[in-house]
Amino acid sequence: GHSSSAIRYEDDTAVALITGNPTMADTNALFSSAHANISSDTGTPDVDAIHLALAKLAAQTGLKGERLNLRPAFIFASFKEYVAARQTLAPIGTDMLPTTGAAVAIPEAKGLQILWDERLNDGSGISDWYVIADPSQIAGIYYGGLEGDPSPRLSMDVEFNTDGMVWKLIHDFYAELADYRWIVQTTD
C-alpha cells in the first residue's frame, strides 16, 4: 500500500538520476567521454560487452590521476538485458560457457550481482545497461531524509460530517549523485 508507494518513489528518483544523465559539478554530463564512463561496445551484455564495461570501470582515475581500480559489484539493466547478462554470467561458477564449452573470458565478473528494473526500458527497443562499482569503494548516490524524521509517515483524520477518513502520506526524501566514477553506461 502506502509504504510500497514510498519505496517506488525512492526507486523512481534514483533511476531518474541515472537515466537523466544530469550535468555534474565539472559541467560534463554524468555519462560523457570526459568522464570515460561510456563503453564503446554497444549491445546486450555478452562476454565482450561486459569485459569492456568492467575495464572502463577499473580504469577510472582519482583527482590526482591515480587508478582507482574499482571492483564491479552490479550490472543494472532492463529485463531484456538482465536475461542476456544471466545467460552470460550464470556459467561463470563452472568457468565454462554452456553453448560452446569455451573458457570464460571474464573471471573478474565472478560474484557480480545482476539487478533489473524495467524503468530502464524506455519502450524504444534501445536500453542502456550499467556496470556499478562496489559501494564500499566509492559512493554513487547519496540519499536520505530529514534528520530525526521517521519517513514515510501516514496520518489519518476522521471526518466528523461523513462516514469517511482522510489519509495523508508524508515522505521526505532526497537523492543526489555523489560522483561519476562509480558507473559505466553501455547502450543496447
Side-chain angles (χ1 to χ4, degrees):
H2 297 295
S3 60
S4 296
S5 177
I7 291 168
R8 277 192 305 277
Y9 173 74
E10 291 177 6
D11 290 348
D12 287 344
T13 302
V15 170
L17 281 174
I18 296 169
T19 60
N21 200 21
T23 301
M24 303 295 290
D26 64 0
T27 70
N28 293 302
L30 169 61
F31 301 107
S32 65
S33 58
H35 291 159
N37 63 354
I38 301 172
S39 181
S40 59
D41 187 331
T42 58
T44 58
D46 60 14
V47 170
D48 292 335
I50 292 171
H51 186 266
L52 284 172
L54 296 180
K56 281 277 192 186
L57 186 68
Q60 287 294 317
T61 57
L63 297 176
K64 298 177 183 174
E66 73 280 12
R67 293 270 179 164
L68 296 177
N69 197 31
L70 297 173
R71 291 182 312 273
F74 307 100
I75 288 180
F76 185 46
S78 70
F79 187 73
K80 181 178 97 173
E81 283 77 21
Y82 166 84
V83 170
R86 293 286 302 164
Q87 290 171 337
T88 301
L89 296 177
I92 285 182
T94 63
D95 291 329
M96 300 296 280
L97 292 173
T99 55
T100 64
V104 171
I106 47 173
E108 64 274 13
K110 200 169 199 166
L112 196 61
Q113 293 182 29
I114 307 167
L115 309 172
W116 68 272
D117 193 314
E118 209 45 28
R119 284 172 274 235
L120 298 178
N121 182 353
D122 67 2
S124 69
I126 299 172
S127 298
D128 295 332
W129 57 274
Y130 307 88
V131 172
I132 298 175
D134 185 334
S136 69
Q137 285 191 289
I138 190 168
I141 297 177
Y142 292 127
Y143 63 92
L146 297 175
E147 186 175 343
D149 180 24
S151 192
R153 295 183 315 276
L154 184 63
S155 59
M156 172 187 76
D157 187 24
V158 178
E159 295 287 324
F160 181 75
N161 294 329
T162 65
D163 288 334
M165 292 183 271
V166 177
W167 294 89
K168 178 169 64 171
L169 178 69
I170 299 173
H171 187 46
D172 299 309
F173 175 78
Y174 72 89
E176 186 61 48
L177 290 169
D179 203 314
Y180 60 84
R181 297 169 186 92
W182 63 284
I183 189 167
V184 172
Q185 177 189 49
T186 301
T187 301
D188 177 13

